[in-house]
Every structure is written in structure tokens, then in C-alpha cells.
Amino acid sequence: MPTALYRLLLSLALLLPLGAQAGDALEFTRAGASEQVRLLEHWSASPTAERRAFLDALQQGRIGADGDKNPYVQQAGQWQPLTEANSDDNPRVLRLNNRLRGLLNTALASHALSDENAGARLDAARTLQRNAPPALLPVLEQRFAQEGDDAVHDALALALANLQLASPEAATRLKAVRLLGETGEPQAKTRLQSLLDGDEADPAVRKAAETSLAQVERKLFIGELLGQAFSGLSLGSILLLAALGLAITFGLLGVINMAHGEMLMLGAYSTYLVQIGFQRLAPEYLALYPLAALPVAFLVTAAIGMALERTVIRHLYGRPLETLLATWGISLILIQLVRVIFGAQNVEVANPAWLSGGWQVLPNLVLPWNRIVIIGFALFVVALTWLLLNRTRLGLNVRAVTQNRNMAACCGVPTGKVDMLAFGLGSGIAGLGGVALSQIGNVGPDLGQGYIIDSFLVVVLGGVGQLAGSISAAFGLGVLNKILEPQIGAVLGKILILALIILFIQKRPQGLFALRGRVID
Amino acid sequence: MNTMNQTLLLRASAKVGPRVSLAIGLTVLAVLLALPLLHLLPGDHALHVSSYTLTLVGKILCYAVVALALDLVWGYAGLLSLGHGLFFALGGYAMGMYLMRQSAGDGLPAFMSFLSWSELPWYWVGTEHFLWALCLVVAVPGLLAFVFGYFAFRSRIKGVYFSIMTQALTFAGMLLFFRNETGFGGNNGFTDFKRILGFDITAPGTRAVLFLASLLLLLGSLYLGFRLARSKFGRVLTAVRDAENRLMFCGYDPRGYKLFIWVLSAVLCGLAGALYVPQVGIINPSEMSPTNSIEAAVWVALGGRGSLIGPLLGAGLVNGMKSFFTVALPEYWLFFLGALFILVTLYLPKGIYGLIKRGEQ
Amino acid sequence: MSSGIDAGLARDAIGLGQVAGQGLNTRHGTILSLEDLCVSFDGFKALTDLTLYIGVGELRCIIGPNGAGKTTLMDVITGKTRPDSGSAWFGETLDLTRMSEVQIAQAGIGRKFQKPTVFEALSVFENLELAQKTDKSVWASLRARLSGEQRDRIDEVLDTIRLGQERQRPAGLLSHGQKQFLEIGILLVQNPQLLLLDEPVAGMTDAETEFTAELFTSLARRHSLMVVEHDMGFVGRIADQVTVLHQGQVLAEGSLEQVQNDERVIEVYLGR
């Protein structure tokens, strides 16, 4: 559940018992600065469920005091007295200095450890990893013993171990080191490392630290590996969306469409326009705009694609190099057109709430929702394309024209119309890809330029006219890219991949999935 | 200058035979020879040619060499390269480094001191010597073209596959040169040159010599192209373009032929780049962007591929118009260029040269 | 620079060329021995255990229904397709399965395609000049000059294929039949030991077919010919021996008459 919404509900629920905290509040407002410090430290070490609402309000700056230092709480802009004694004096917000603010955070975190929501507990444990005072040790131990959620448990272990490591007793430190070994937190690694690099004298602790370090590193490695695999899949799905339309126009029609990248770009700009439309006309449904953008982008780009096919590309069938140049010209015009209309700067396309944030799988692995959705979306589009090509009349016609244009024409297939529709389909799929791209990157006139070479490589590698080939090539390239990137850097990785593709084509000139056969040209 | 070319040519295409074409060619040559000399005149003289004009025309001469080189592989051997900008830029970078070393004296070039490097990377060793830089100008593009071509032709990559591969190649080169840590000056590339072979690089005399060198390179390339096109080698190349299989069953190995012309073309581009840099005064990675290379293809297409004069016409016209547009109507240049791509491929498959030919007959 | 390749090429041109000349070892009177050839494309068997011998100076016709494997057979002989198993020997010493297309062509096997393929942008004369048997390396082509002897040879072939009048015309402007003859001329000027001809009379007029038949019979004895053809009349006029292919295998072999009376052939051809 998104944290913002959760917080809202929480504070509503906690408003009620605020009155019960009059004692704490009074104590706090009456206290001097040093007394307040002591109070907060004390509260951190002995959290009670009732006090939390007060602390929350205090943090939000809603606690005030009048001239007699009677506590008030601000609700919906109105000051409500928390005690029966009140004066006519106007209450003023209680200001906290930095030190108090820090202590308040700790106190809040220690209270939030018993929250019902695991996410809130995790946040609290994270805070305490950084700034828990030794006095919190018993609280942490108690919560650690009771905690059921794995992620929170790990985080607590780390917070606990942080405190225990400072202990003068070797046995406690040993326990802490073992505890760290059980977590998969990146911080545990740094702690253990600094312990080993530091002046830890006890050999048993050192040895345990080494074992723990190895343990933690293994866990982190798994997380990293999964993370790389995921970003590889994510990149692959993006490449796939970019290349799929190209696979149709190039693979089936033999047309090199250099303006394909611009179809992606136009799809992204359609999304932008739909977003603006929702903001103006139906702001209450704004969260749904990416869904509404899908058909719009598809239709816009498909229409432009068909228009191009009828006016320019139709005259160039069978002359692939000329098509390449002419479509490059088209792409220049489209880019400049967008620049003139929307400006050369990037336009802002915002993720709706359901596409922002991510899913925390491991301590060092968060999978962003937008990328997860795009992977699913890419597979959905592939499935749709496959169905369209293999299960519909249009698909049959397209395949017929691909295999033997003259024969198809003789059988009454309207080849001109089929060409147009196939080109429109390819462009429309690019438009869908554009919607997806708008959710993860910048939307600007040059958006398409960055994808055109990569998508061509996907098509070349996958083998012309092969959906399955394009899919494996896209994901293969994506994963390979992300594996190479951390090792040798993004640029060298790209160059290496290019070299690999050239070498690969030595072995299989027809691509991954092409059929071997008798071809004389 | 270019508009003048254009009107003359249009008139030529209207009627008349090869003799008039020859006369026009000689006139253009005479004008080109006169330009650097007129530049040497004092600034207030009526016939003085400004350094802007001289640099512009000199730049176009270098581009014309690129167009010619591209035409050798595309027009004759049927291999459309979308990566010739890479070879051009490599030659330019080699020369640029020499110029940087000249400016820096005994120290490191400014951009390296900026990155607090203490010594020159190994690949730049020796670039303070003009001759070694010249060797690099030829060898680096040549070697890269050889390695790439060897593998590409071995696996019979041709047609659009070849085009896409070359485009990816120049794209990769651009990424590499954009990086600061690779020692190529990053984003800014090499600039702020001061001296070449001890001469002030902005002096009228130096400019005139560089201009003449570019003209000489163009004439040399033209002669070379002419000899090749006339030889049996040229005929084998057209055979590679039209019926590669037939040629193989005649006992020719097309790989060697393609590789030869491909490497030669790359070397010509490298030389053109090396002359371009001191005249224009800057080289940066954007010269390697795929856009630049594909623009060169439209020069050749507009002028007429498969002929030797066509690419020169195309390079002159497009670049002349480009410098006009970028001053007068910068917004519309890309529209114009895009339309040019489309119209030429649709309606002028043989380019302007083809039109002229038809006019002559 | 490109000398690595070119040197190899030049070596091929000289070394193998000489072997192919007088030196081609045809001791047992066979110029081409194909044994147990198998080729399959993704499960489809184009050739299955095909065995075929062609004698020196023989004119062999190959017939068979569509998909019988005729073109694949030519692809294997010319090195375009590698067999999955089996052997292919040119003479006694040259293993065709290990040679490249270029080497095979230089060794003396010429091939005419089903669709006439000539160098359209070049003149008829230049077409023959390129095909002529000579050093075909890059360096040689840069310095090449035609000798009087070579010129005579080209003229001779031009006469043979009756294109003497068209010598300066671009090959792309020739009629379909003339292109067929030019392609045959391209083969002849290479002086090959073995000519592979894929449907040479397709699209020819009757007079042209007549002339082709004469030409081929005059070529036999000096060269070995393997002709793939559908036109039975033409086959009957020229063939010594006919081989019938069916589903990648040799179905029958013998004179045209023998073959035409073979029960299995009739069944395959007439679908009875």
C-alpha cells in the first residue's frame, strides 16, 4: 500500500487517543530544554502505544503551548487544549531544536516498531540502525525476538548488532557479529568490514566476523545477480517493444524504416497529450491516463505510418537502400516538426501513483513497479501480435504477401491494402512502445534516435521475419548488456556487444531462428 | 560560389555536349585555384576573399572527398556505408592531436592536465611528430576498416545489414570518444589550435596552403577514382554490385575486391578529416554521429551515385544550401534536408548527374 | 593490407588452375564422382544417399519433377551448400566438399543459373573479359591489360554464341535468349572442364533452342556437361545419358528411351 495513504489513515486513527496523552504532553511542554532531552531519551527506551499519537503530532508541528505552558494540539487549523487547565492566551507552536528533532525521530521510530504495518516497522528499524542510543538495546532485543516479518527482522538485527558491537564484552560482540551474518543488508557488510579493518582484538570475534562477512556477501551477491537479471529483462522488454514493430515492417515487408524510432517518439508524445487532456478535463481519473493513452498512441502512429506507406514507401518496395534514405528523411522531418510544435526541451510525463515506487524483494533489491508492468506489457503486446499474425485474416494475408507477392495478388489478396495495414500495424506497435517508454524515461524530440540502432540489431540478430527470434534477441541483448555494464562500463559494453553480434553473424548469417534453405539470388 | 555552380550546371543540362561540361569543370577548377590567392590580398581589396568563405569552401572540398570515397563503395561496389563519418573523424582526431601537441608545447594538452593526467596514453605517443600523425591519419581508419570489412565481407554481410552494421559502428565510436577517460577530449573534442608545422594556423598563408592541399587531395582522389573505374578492377566491382554470385562462379573472390575498395575509401575519408580539422579548427565526437554519415549518403544520392562527378556536385550543393539555411532559416533546414532525402530517392534515382547526362543526349 | 586474402587467391588461381588444366587427374575416365550425398534443410531431406558419376567428355542430362533435388545437387557440386555426409570428387584428387565456391570455379567447374545472370551494367565484351580464365586476384585486376591472344579468344566465343554484333551493348539491354547465350559464353570463356547448366533453354525461341542443342553437342567430348532440363524434346536431342532424380535420389539412369520406359519413372512423372 502506498505509504502516503497509509500515513493518512494512521493519523486519523490516532487522533482519538490523543487526549489520553495529556500527562506526557503536559510534562513535555512544562519541561526545560535539557529536561525535554531526558524525556525523549526515556520515552525512546520505554515506548508505549498511547504516546505515539502525541509524538506524531509533535513531529508534525501540531503541538503548541500557551503562556502557562499548557499543551494544545492543532486539529484542522483549530487549537484544542490537551489539559483542562487553559488560559486565554493564544497557544504557540512548540519549536524544537535540531538535537530534539533527532531524538524525537528516534523516539518515534522506537514507538513505530510495534506498528501493525510491516513497512512502517521496516522504516523504523532502518532509522534505528543509524541513530539508536545504547539505551534502546532492551527494546530492540524484545522486538527482535517477536518480529515475524523477514525484512524487518533483518533490519532489526542490524540495528541491534550496531549497538552490541560497541559492547566491551567479547561475547556480546560475538553475538552481534553472528547476527549480522544472518542479514542480507548492504550495511551489515560495511559494518563487518570496518570491524575487521579496525582494532577488534578478540580472535573468536574476528573469525566469526570473517564467516559472517562471507555469508553477507553471498546474500548480497544473490541480490545483485537478481537485480541485474531484472534490469536485463527490463531493458529486454523495452528493446522488444521498440523492435517488434520493426520486425514486422522489416521482416515481413522488407522495408527499412529509419523513422521507426520517431513512431516511438510520437507514441510518447501522444501519451503526453492524453495526460494533459486528463489534467484539464478529468483530473479525478488522472491515474488512468496511461491506459487511455494506449489506444490513442496506437491509432495516431498507425495512421501516420499508413499515410507514409501510401505516399512514400509504396514507391520504394524492392529498393531497400533507397527506402532507408527516404525514411531517414521522414524521421528528420518528424523530429523537427515535434521540435517546432512542442519545443526542443523534454516534456513532463509523470508516473501515476500505481506505477511509481517499487517492490522490495531483498534488502538490496527493489523492483520498480513501472518496469514490472512494462515487462508484462511487452509480453502482452507480443502475444497480441502473434495472434494477429497467426489467427486472423489480415495475418494470413500479410504472411501470404511476404512469401510470394505475385502469387498472393493472383489469389485475390489486395496486396496494396495489406502492405498499408501491415505498415500501420508495425507503426502502431511502435506507438504502444512509446507509451511504455514515456513511463520510464525522458520524452523529447530525440527519444526515438536512441532506440533505432538497438532495435535494428535486435531484428538482425533475431533473424528476419521471426517473432520468436526477435523476442530471444531482445531479452538476450538486454541481459547481456546489463551483465557487461557493471564489469566494463556501459560504453565498452555496447561496443563489445556490437563486436559479438558481428562475430555471431559470422556463424549464423541468417540470425538466430532463420531457416536454412536453398537460396540463389 | 555554389549557387553559381548550380546555375551553370542547370544551363549545361539544358542542351549541349561534353565539351561544355569540360569547360565548366575547368572554370570551376580555375575559380577554386584562384580563391586562396585572392584570400592573400589585403582585406580592403575589392577581390579579397574572406577567411569565412575560404574556410567554408575548403570544408566543402573535404566533404567532397568523403562523398567521392562513399561513392566508390556505394556507387561502384553497392555497399552503402552509414559509418563513413567515423573514418573521417578518426583522421581528424589524429591530426587534431598533433595540433593540440603543437599548442601545448612540451606539456600535456590542456584537456589532459584538466583531468590531472600525468602522462600521455600510449596511443598518443609520438603524435608531436607531424609525420607520425600523418601515418596515424592513414593507418587508423585503414586498419579499422580492414578489420571490420574483413569480418563483414567474410560472412557476406551486405545490403541493409551492412548499412546498419556500419551505422552501429560509428555510433559505438561516438560513445567511446564522448567519454572523458578515454583520452579523446570528451564532449569538447580537440580545439583551440594555434600552430601547424610551426606556422600560425590562422594566418592567411597557412589557410591558403591548407585550402590548396584539400583541393589537391580532391583532385588526387578524383584521378584515382577515374583510374580505378576505368580498370578491370572497376568492372569487377560493378560485377560485385550487380551479380555477386555469378562473379564467384567465375572464379573471383569478391571479398578481396570489396575489402580493397572499402579500405581505400576509409583512408580517403581519414585524409579528408585530417585536412578538415586545421581549417575548421575543431573536432569533436558529434562528427561520428550517425546523422552525419547518413547525410553524406544524401550528397552522393543527390549528385548521382556510380559517377565520379556526381558526388562532388551533391556535396557542394547540399553543404552550400546548409550554410545558407543555418544562417537564414535555421528552423527549416531539417525540413528541407528531410524533403531532399525523400524527393531524391523517389524522383532522382540517378541524381543530378543523371539529369545532366540525359540532357546531353 | 588485403594481401593475406589476395595472396591466397593468387595461389589458388595459379596452383589449382594448373591442376585443373592438363593436370586434372581423370585416370578412371570419370570427371565427377558423387557418392552417398545427403543434404537436409531443417528436417527436409533434399538429397538422400545420392550417387552419381559423370564421365570425361560426357553430356549428361538430369531430369526430375520439381523438388527432386536438382538445384541442391548443383549447389553441392559448386560448393554453395555443404553436404551433411557423403563425398564429392572432381577428378581423382579434388575434394569438392572442402573447397570454397571460388576455388571450385577456378578448378574448372562452370555453372549457369536457372535465371540468366549476367553483369548487366557491363557490355557484352566486358562480361566475357571478366569471365576469362586468368589471374583473378585484386592486384592482377588493377594492372590487367588484354593481350591479343585473349582478345581473339573472346571474339571466338562471341562468334560461337552469335553475339558478335552486340559486343558493345550493355548486357542489361539484351533479350532473354541473348542473356542465356551470354551466360553460356561466360562459362565457355572460362574454359571449364565441367559445365553445369540449369535449364539453359527456358524461355528460348524454337530457333534458339535448336542452336543451343547444336552448341552443346559440339561442346561435348571437349568438355563434360551436366544439363538440368525439363524440355524432353531438347533432352532427347542432346543426351548421351539421362539420370532421373526423385526425392533426392537417383531413380533411374540410362538412355532417354530406357528411362522413358521405366515403370517407376512413368509413375513418378505421370503420377500414376
Side-chain angles (χ1 to χ4, degrees), chain A residues 1-16:
Chain A
M1 186 153 63
T3 31
L5 186 60
Y6 161 73
R7 286 228 174 92
L8 185 72
L9 287 175
L10 190 72
S11 45
L12 281 177
L14 290 179
L15 274 178
L16 296 173

Side-chain angles (χ1 to χ4, degrees), chain C residues 160-207:
Chain C
T160 315
I161 57 173
R162 299 187 182 170
L163 285 175
Q165 303 296 316
E166 316 284 347
R167 54 190 303 151
Q168 294 310 333
R169 275 187 91 186
L173 300 180
L174 297 180
S175 74
H176 183 82
Q178 284 175 319
K179 280 186 194 166
Q180 296 271 38
F181 282 122
L182 178 57
E183 198 177 4
I184 293 170
I186 287 177
L187 259 60
L188 289 182
V189 84
Q190 290 175 60
N191 251 344
Q193 308 279 311
L194 173 66
L195 283 90
L196 308 178
L197 301 130
D198 205 344
E199 304 195 15
V201 295
M204 281 190 178
T205 63
D206 284 351

Side-chain angles (χ1 to χ4, degrees), chain A residues 95-404:
Chain A
R95 300 275 170 211
L96 299 180
N97 62 25
N98 273 345
R99 173 152 189 232
L100 284 173
R101 213 162 260 292
L103 287 171
L104 176 60
N105 279 338
T106 312
L108 258 175
S110 119
H111 282 76
L113 280 182
S114 45
D115 196 287
E116 285 168 18
N117 182 288
R121 293 206 300 276
L122 188 63
D123 285 344
R126 291 258 162 85
T127 312
L128 292 178
Q129 283 169 12
R130 286 192 299 273
N131 54 13
L136 239 65
L137 204 55
V139 179
L140 283 172
E141 271 169 346
Q142 188 209 348
R143 295 300 327 165
F144 181 66
Q146 293 172 358
E147 183 55 59
D149 185 277
D150 282 348
V152 184
H153 197 263
D154 272 9
L156 277 174
L158 195 60
L160 197 56
N162 276 344
L163 293 182
Q164 289 173 338
L165 277 181
S167 158
E169 282 175 50
T172 317
R173 292 205 303 276
L174 192 62
K175 220 165 78 185
V177 164
R178 296 225 169 103
L179 210 52
L180 284 176
E182 284 161 23
T183 73
E185 299 271 348
Q187 278 188 24
K189 186 182 159 192
T190 32
R191 282 303 302 213
L192 286 166
Q193 197 69 57
S194 63
L195 183 80
L196 283 170
D197 295 345
D199 51 359
E200 176 59 54
D202 191 284
V205 176
R206 283 199 88 87
K207 197 160 173 347
E210 274 161 20
T211 332
S212 293
L213 185 62
Q215 260 179 323
V216 175
E217 274 174 347
R218 200 172 55 241
K219 282 186 187 154
L220 284 178
F221 178 71
I222 293 173
E224 259 167 45
L225 216 60
L226 288 175
Q228 277 176 17
F230 178 78
S231 31
L233 284 183
S234 165
L235 180 63
S237 65
I238 291 162
L239 285 178
L240 185 58
L241 281 171
L244 197 61
L246 203 65
I248 291 177
T249 47
F250 181 39
L252 300 183
L253 302 176
V255 167
I256 301 294
N257 184 12
M258 291 304 253
H260 184 80
E262 277 54 58
M263 297 297 163
L264 291 169
M265 184 260 288
L266 291 174
Y269 270 92
S270 307
T271 318
Y272 168 68
L273 288 179
V274 170
Q275 179 193 249
I276 301 250
F278 268 74
Q279 278 168 350
R280 298 255 169 88
L281 303 174
E284 63 273 28
Y285 296 114
L286 186 60
L288 297 179
Y289 86 87
L291 296 181
L294 290 175
V296 174
F298 184 87
L299 291 177
V300 167
T301 48
I304 294 176
M306 287 193 278
L308 290 179
E309 201 276 340
R310 282 294 89 179
T311 50
V312 178
I313 291 157
R314 181 164 67 105
H315 305 286
L316 296 170
Y317 283 123
R319 290 155 64 196
L321 293 181
E322 271 91 341
T323 323
L324 190 155
L325 293 179
T327 48
W328 180 267
I330 293 171
S331 93
L332 289 182
I333 292 177
L334 289 176
I335 292 174
Q336 188 64 13
L337 205 61
V338 168
R339 251 186 224 142
V340 169
I341 297 175
F342 295 96
Q345 259 68 47
N346 291 340
V347 295
E348 200 186 320
V349 177
N351 284 148
W354 57 279
L355 281 177
S356 39
W359 173 31
Q360 177 113 30
V361 185
L362 289 173
N364 61 340
L365 180 61
V366 183
L367 308 184
W369 286 119
N370 54 0
R371 295 195 175 256
I372 295 177
V373 169
I374 285 175
I375 293 180
F377 179 63
L379 295 176
F380 168 74
V381 172
V382 167
L384 211 64
T385 314
W386 187 86
L387 283 176
L388 207 57
L389 286 179
N390 290 286
R391 289 282 183 275
T392 64
R393 186 85 203 166
L394 171 69
L396 183 67
N397 284 346
V398 169
R399 282 178 294 140
V401 172
T402 311
Q403 280 164 25
N404 192 332

Side-chain angles (χ1 to χ4, degrees), chain A residues 250 256 258 311-313 315-316 319-330 332-337 339-340 449-450 452-454 456-457 459-460 463-464 490-492 494-495 498 501-503 505-507 509-510 519-521, chain B residues 74 78-80 82 148 150-155 157-161 163-165 167-173 175-176 179 245 249 290-291 294-295 297-298 301 305 330-339 341-342 345-347 349:
Chain A
F250 181 39
I256 301 294
M258 291 304 253
T311 50
V312 178
I313 291 157
H315 305 286
L316 296 170
R319 290 155 64 196
L321 293 181
E322 271 91 341
T323 323
L324 190 155
L325 293 179
T327 48
W328 180 267
I330 293 171
L332 289 182
I333 292 177
L334 289 176
I335 292 174
Q336 188 64 13
L337 205 61
R339 251 186 224 142
V340 169
Q449 298 276 298
I452 189 74
I453 292 182
D454 281 340
F456 268 118
L457 291 183
V459 176
V460 168
V464 172
V491 173
L492 277 181
K494 262 212 154 63
I495 294 171
L498 182 69
I501 289 177
I502 293 178
L503 289 179
I505 290 180
Q506 306 279 309
K507 287 281 161 222
Q510 312 299 344
V519 210
I520 283 262
D521 47 329
Chain B
W74 183 23
L79 298 161
L80 172 55
L82 298 181
F148 179 82
Y150 179 80
F151 284 110
F153 301 142
R154 206 177 73 119
S155 48
I157 298 176
K158 53 187 171 189
V160 287
Y161 290 92
S163 306
I164 291 163
M165 285 293 163
Q167 187 172 42
L169 184 71
T170 190
F171 188 65
L175 292 179
L176 189 71
R179 310 287 296 184
N245 262 316
F249 290 120
T291 320
I294 204 167
E295 209 180 301
V298 93
R305 61 177 194 271
E331 291 268 285
Y332 293 91
W333 165 241
L334 280 182
F335 287 127
F336 178 80
L337 186 65
F341 269 101
I342 299 169
T345 46
L346 281 182
Y347 302 112

Side-chain angles (χ1 to χ4, degrees), chain A residues 51-81:
Chain A
R51 195 186 293 123
R52 199 164 161 210
F54 167 69
L55 291 176
D56 268 327
L58 186 60
Q59 196 198 27
Q60 289 153 12
R62 292 191 291 111
I63 296 293
D66 60 17
D68 300 334
K69 300 199 168 173
N70 287 318
Y72 290 78
V73 65
Q74 199 176 33
Q75 274 170 5
Q78 297 290 313
W79 286 110
Q80 310 281 338

Side-chain angles (χ1 to χ4, degrees), chain C residues 74 128 172 242:
Chain C
M74 290 215 170
L128 295 178
V242 176

